[in-house]
Amino acid sequence: MSSCCSSAEPEPRPSEQEGSPCCGGGGKKRFDWLLWGSLIFVLLGYFGHLFFAESVAGLSHQMAHYCRGVFELLNKMWWGLALGVLAVGMLGWVPREWVAAVLGKPGSFSGIVRAILAGILLDLCNHGILLVAMKLYERGASYGQTLAFLIASPWNSLSLTIILFALIGVKWTLVFILFSALIAMVTGLLVEMMVKAGRIPHNKNAVELPDGFKLWPEVKAAFRKAKLSHPLLGKMINAGLSESQMILRWIFFGTVLAAAIRAFVPAEVFGDWFGPTWIGVLLTLVAATIIEVCSEGSSPIAADLVTRAGAPGNGFAFLMAGAATDYTEIMALKETTRSWKMALVLPLLTLPQVVVIAWMINSLGG
């Protein structure tokens, strides 16, 4: 299979060449204090709860809550992170033309629809999805497609849909999926309009498909030539780990921050403070932004907002906050695009939609 060094590939950007796991870039790297510092605090919390839970509880009640928070978060998201890293490594060996063919023409309605369907169907947690989305952008997906993919996917995986069926019922689950897809569609199309108007730049990694290009014959021919082996799998994993460090630093930092806040902010306040009002919706978004949880962790809390607080719109807002306001995603977008302007497009376009739709759902639920 073609690697990212294939002659069919466009030349990587300078930022990609430096330290590239595939093309042998030998750029000098700085020590990533945020990545390794956050990882140390994550490991201390995880193993502190795993082996020394009673001793930690005896020293500090808050420290015990922190360690337990890290332990729970890491146990819920490790599989998504592992699959995300593997997917990033595999995508690095997929020709850009394949990605362009699957996602369709950038800037088109069908391209946005394909990105939304991919986000809904891909069964990963929001942290794994984030890794894949950033890699898709590097492989040529338009920015509108990337955001549509992110917005549609964080909690809409098949496994979590089944969980939500059990927690809040089929009716509200389908309503949530419909409106999340609508927000993804509107946001993706608005971003494509901004790109065409020159307000934000085109993706420099975009690929023009050659005349007569057909995806499936190309895929079949590549797999006939491919020789899968343990060394190849090892290269893919190494590439995935190397290229995911930029995103993993914010995921680990978010885990530390979320666990620390959990130690001081009890989860019960959601059911008491966040009723089906405008203020309740806004407070829900603020709380969900601060208390970052993975998609699996957000589902039970959202279900409590629907069933205990009687505010289905707030449950929807809590789920969507992972795509609309999550600082991990915003920082990952900034790192990938090298632009604060492009990163802040995500909350600026999605937050108003989430607030209005959450209020509508609360009215419908009443």
Side-chain angles (χ1 to χ4, degrees), residues 143-196:
Y143 198 52
Q145 290 173 316
T146 302
L147 292 190
F149 177 81
L150 272 175
I151 294 166
S153 63
W155 53 269
N156 279 352
S157 66
L158 295 177
S159 57
L160 287 177
T161 298
I162 295 172
I163 292 173
L164 285 174
F165 281 153
L167 292 175
I168 63 176
V170 175
K171 169 191 168 183
W172 285 121
T173 302
L174 294 179
V175 168
F176 286 8
I177 291 174
L178 174 64
F179 280 120
S180 67
L182 177 62
I183 292 175
M185 175 67 68
V186 171
T187 303
L189 292 176
L190 287 174
V191 169
E192 298 294 3
M193 291 172 60
M194 294 173 68
V195 171
K196 290 179 180 178

Side-chain angles (χ1 to χ4, degrees), residues 104-125:
K105 184 179 179 181
S108 66
F109 179 81
S110 63
I112 298 297
V113 171
R114 290 189 183 193
I116 291 172
L117 291 175
I120 291 175
L121 295 175
L122 190 59
D123 201 358
L124 288 174
C125 77

Side-chain angles (χ1 to χ4, degrees), residues 45 49 55 60 103 134 139-140 144 192 214 274 291 320 343 364:
H49 179 79
S55 299
S60 170
L103 292 180
M134 297 305 100
R139 302 306 286 172
E192 298 294 3
K214 294 183 179 180
F274 307 121
I291 308 174
M320 290 304 299
L364 180 65

Side-chain angles (χ1 to χ4, degrees), residues 176-245:
F176 286 8
I177 291 174
L178 174 64
F179 280 120
S180 67
L182 177 62
I183 292 175
M185 175 67 68
V186 171
T187 303
L189 292 176
L190 287 174
V191 169
E192 298 294 3
M193 291 172 60
M194 294 173 68
V195 171
K196 290 179 180 178
R199 296 183 181 276
I200 57 177
H202 289 270
N203 185 357
K204 296 179 181 179
N205 303 304
V207 175
E208 291 291 337
L209 293 177
D211 294 335
F213 180 86
K214 294 183 179 180
L215 176 62
W216 291 115
E218 293 283 338
V219 173
K220 291 178 181 178
F223 272 98
R224 280 196 297 266
K225 297 178 182 178
K227 294 181 180 179
L228 296 178
S229 62
H230 288 94
L232 177 60
L233 182 60
K235 288 181 180 179
M236 288 183 179
I237 294 175
N238 286 334
L241 286 171
S242 177
E243 296 189 29
S244 299
Q245 286 185 15

